[in-house]
């Protein structure tokens, strides 16, 4: 695993597992397909034990704090859903230039899922219902408690983040294992009923590897280097596996340890994550974030400044959490900008120009003619404060692209389409 060093005071630890570097037949790097569904309206779910701050985090990220954040297990039974704006200085700059009456940022869709406990995969603590809620999201914020408090009880009485991580991961793996065995047995029964049917060797290779990993509490998405055919086969056979989903580990520290830049649990958490396939680990403090929000709501500018000054240049971690969740879902957005509206349009990474146009309206995709666009950087470099593309065109940076163009994050786009064609279709 590659550990990217950062200053201890940054409170951000990043472990990146690089994708396998395989070669295609033509000698180019093989593109490994992704697990899970590809779409524009994907969701991140907040998962963890009871009483660790899931609903409080949800409230902080939500536009309206509607989730009950009570100090007892299972206060959230039905999942709460919300959306939070993805912070982006580029979007704000475009709004400042155009000053339109309508603005629309990109949003991360978020689900607050009730706390899991040991035995959830067998139904403990309404576990089966909660696990079904997790299956319905596309990525996971795995929240873990790394603070001591007599006021906030722990379901296991003591604070041990590595044990808590193991508990949740074990329950997710058990749920996946039961699902995998069920799917495997169903296909093997079909073959026995029909002598002309035969399962390919890849079926047994993949299913054996998957079962072995789950029996050893290894998440499927990160515990192995999968080949492209194996990923395709997994998506075909067992698309509902929870541990295939991208996961970000959020470590909820006390305000004191967050401000000081040190937490005695962080090393153990990092070691556990590395031993389970690696991943992104973000320490933060709900206690600190709630204090900051309280000062802002009260209009206490001096208090807010003093609190932020205590971080020595760091700020709220919430924007980073939102951005990381958005990127984990392999989402990106392009801009449309004009006198009436500046808007971010969310698409799956790798979307073609017609697919990106279809997010605005299906007619745009059906009757697609061409895309006129420029990059955000080119726009900002050549724009002279004008509410137009004239200076960008004069600089030769305004392009015309066809149906095979892969839209890039931050492109400023204008689509041309044939109305007659779209209506016929």
């Amino acid at each position: 695993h590659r550990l990217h060093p950062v200053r201890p005071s940054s409170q951000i630890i990043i472990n990146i597992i690089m994708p396998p570097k395989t070669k295609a037949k033509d000698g180019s790097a093989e593109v490994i397909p992704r697990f899970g569904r590809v779409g524009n309206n994907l969701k991140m779910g907040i998962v963890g034990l009871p009483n660790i701050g899931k609903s409080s985090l949800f409230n902080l990220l939500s536009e309206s704090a509607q989730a009950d954040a009570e100090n007892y297990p299972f206060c959230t039974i039905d999942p709460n859903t919300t959306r939070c704006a993805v912070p982006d200085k580029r979007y704000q700059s475009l709004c400042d230039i155009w000053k339109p009456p309508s603005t629309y940022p990109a949003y991360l869709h978020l689900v607050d899922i009730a706390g899991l406990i040991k035995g959830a995969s067998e139904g403990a603590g309404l576990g089966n219902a909660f696990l079904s809620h997790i299956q319905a999201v596309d990525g996971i914020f795995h929240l873990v408690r790394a603070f001591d408090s007599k006021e906030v009880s722990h379901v296991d009485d003591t604070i041990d983040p590595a044990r808590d991580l193991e508990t949740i991961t074990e329950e997710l793996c058990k749920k996946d294992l039961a699902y995998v065995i069920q799917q495997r047995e169903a296909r093997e029964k079909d073959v026995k009923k029909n002598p002309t049917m035969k399962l390919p060797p890849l079926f047994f290779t993949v299913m054996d590897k998957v079962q072995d990993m789950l029996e050893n509490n290894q998440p499927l998405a990160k515990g192995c280097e999968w080949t492209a055919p194996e990923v395709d086969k997994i998506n075909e056979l067992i698309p509902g596996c929870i541990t295939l989903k991208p996961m970000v580990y959020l470590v909820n520290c006390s305000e004191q340890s967050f401000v000081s830049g040190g937490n005695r649990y962080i090393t153990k958490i990092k070691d556990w994550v590395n031993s389970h396939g690696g991943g992104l680990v973000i320490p933060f403090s709900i206690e600190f974030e709630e204090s900051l929000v309280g000062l802002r709501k009260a209009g206490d500018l001096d208090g807010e400044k003093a609190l932020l000054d205590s971080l020595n240049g760091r700020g709220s971690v919430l924007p980073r959490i939102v951005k990381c969740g958005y990127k984990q879902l392999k989402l990106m957005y392009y801009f449309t900008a004009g006198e009436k509206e500046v808007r971010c349009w969310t698409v799956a990474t790798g979307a073609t120009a017609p697919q990106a146009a279809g997010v605005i309206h299906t007619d745009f995709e059906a009757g697609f003619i061409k895309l006129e666009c420029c990059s955000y950087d080119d726009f900002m470099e050549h724009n002279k404060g004008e509410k137009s593309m004239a200076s960008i065109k004069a600089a030769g940076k305004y392009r015309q692209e066809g149906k095979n163009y892969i839209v890039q994050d931050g492109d400023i786009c204008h689509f041309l389409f044939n109305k007659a064609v779209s209506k016929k279709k």
Side-chain angles (χ1 to χ4, degrees):
H1 313 305
R2 293 180 61 189
L3 179 62
H4 290 236
V6 292
R7 294 179 302 164
S9 63
S10 71
Q11 284 285 302
I12 300 297
I13 299 172
I14 301 179
N15 301 307
I16 298 179
I17 303 301
M18 300 303 291
K21 294 181 179 179
T22 54
K23 295 285 186 180
K25 290 181 179 180
D26 61 1
S28 61
E30 180 183 5
V31 178
I32 304 299
R34 57 178 288 178
F35 290 119
R37 68 190 184 105
V38 177
N40 308 319
N41 298 306
L42 306 184
K43 300 175 183 177
M44 290 290 289
I46 305 175
V47 172
L49 293 172
N51 297 348
I52 61 170
K54 294 185 305 300
S55 293
S56 297
L57 174 61
F58 179 87
N59 290 345
L60 285 165
L61 294 174
S62 174
E63 288 184 332
S64 56
Q66 297 176 339
D68 294 324
E70 299 296 333
N71 178 26
Y72 58 90
F74 318 125
C75 68
T76 308
I77 297 176
D78 292 323
N80 290 284
T81 60
T82 189
R83 64 179 187 176
C84 42
V86 180
D88 189 343
K89 292 180 180 178
R90 301 174 303 175
Y91 163 74
Q92 192 56 54
S93 295
L94 292 176
C95 291
D96 292 342
I97 291 172
W98 291 91
K99 295 182 173 60
S102 173
T103 58
Y104 197 95
Y107 287 100
L108 173 68
H109 294 269
L110 198 63
V111 181
D112 178 22
I113 298 170
L116 292 175
I117 61 173
K118 195 170 184 63
S121 56
E122 282 84 42
L126 302 177
N128 281 323
F130 298 161
L131 286 165
S132 296
H133 294 156
I134 299 173
Q135 283 181 319
V137 300
D138 304 282
I140 296 172
F141 284 131
H142 187 163
L143 186 63
V144 61
R145 175 174 171 173
F147 66 90
D148 302 301
S149 173
K150 294 180 180 179
E151 288 74 33
V152 181
S153 63
H154 190 289
V155 70
D156 291 325
D157 297 324
T158 58
I159 308 302
D160 186 345
R163 176 203 60 204
D164 296 348
L165 287 165
E166 190 67 33
T167 296
I168 296 297
T169 302
E170 183 178 344
E171 294 306 318
L172 299 183
C173 287
K174 281 183 178 179
K175 181 72 172 179
D176 278 355
L177 182 60
Y179 167 68
V180 167
I181 291 173
Q182 180 187 48
Q183 296 300 311
R184 179 170 190 161
E185 289 178 347
R187 282 166 173 77
E188 290 178 343
K189 283 181 181 178
D190 289 341
V191 171
K192 288 179 180 179
K193 291 177 184 177
N194 187 347
T196 61
M197 286 181 63
K198 186 177 180 180
L199 292 170
L202 188 59
F203 171 89
F204 297 100
T205 301
V206 167
M207 294 304 257
D208 288 346
K209 190 186 294 187
V210 163
Q211 284 186 228
D212 182 65
M213 290 178 64
L214 294 175
E215 287 168 357
N216 288 282
N217 294 330
Q218 287 290 341
L220 297 178
K222 296 177 293 185
C224 176
E225 288 190 351
W226 299 100
T227 65
E230 287 175 333
V231 172
D232 285 336
K233 183 57 68 174
I234 287 171
N235 284 335
E236 173 196 338
L237 298 173
I238 46 173
C241 279
I242 296 170
T243 61
L244 291 174
K245 302 178 189 296
M247 186 175 294
V248 177
Y249 297 95
L250 303 180
V251 183
N252 185 14
C253 308
S254 66
E255 181 171 344
Q256 184 275 327
S257 68
F258 177 71
V259 171
S260 66
N263 182 288
R264 64 194 181 99
Y265 296 112
I266 291 296
T267 300
K268 290 183 179 179
I269 293 171
K270 183 183 69 173
D271 291 343
W272 185 93
V273 171
N274 282 337
S275 68
H276 288 74
L280 179 61
V281 180
I282 304 179
F284 75 117
S285 172
I286 288 175
E287 185 182 7
F288 172 87
E289 300 292 351
E290 287 181 333
S291 297
L292 185 61
V293 168
L295 291 169
R296 285 173 176 169
K297 286 183 177 179
D300 187 348
L301 298 179
D302 292 337
E304 178 186 346
K305 182 179 183 302
L307 185 60
L308 289 173
D309 286 346
S310 69
L311 295 180
N312 298 317
R314 293 178 291 136
S316 169
V317 181
L318 298 183
R320 182 183 289 270
I321 291 174
V322 174
K323 288 180 180 179
C324 287
Y326 195 82
K327 288 181 179 178
Q328 287 292 313
L329 295 175
K330 299 292 190 297
L331 297 174
M332 53 165 256
Y333 47 88
Y334 64 88
F335 301 107
T336 54
E339 295 277 0
K340 295 182 178 179
E341 182 181 68
V342 169
R343 181 165 180 154
C344 302
W345 297 91
T346 294
V347 295
T349 300
T352 62
Q355 290 169 338
V359 174
I360 299 176
H361 197 286
T362 53
D363 285 355
F364 281 38
E365 181 174 6
F368 177 85
I369 298 174
K370 64 180 177 181
L371 162 65
E372 295 179 348
C373 68
C374 69
S375 70
Y376 168 82
D377 289 340
D378 285 341
F379 178 81
M380 294 304 293
E381 180 181 351
H382 298 285
N383 179 267
K384 300 174 182 177
E386 305 164 329
K387 296 182 179 182
S388 75
M389 290 288 178
S391 57
I392 289 77
K393 291 178 181 178
K397 297 296 183 180
Y398 199 64
R399 313 186 310 269
Q400 293 187 353
E401 303 288 356
K403 63 181 181 181
N404 295 324
Y405 175 69
I406 303 299
V407 174
Q408 301 300 304
D409 181 62
D411 276 353
I412 302 174
C413 298
H414 176 69
F415 296 97
L416 283 77
F417 71 105
N418 187 325
K419 294 182 180 180
V421 172
S422 61
K423 286 180 180 179
K424 288 179 182 178
K425 291 188 177 183

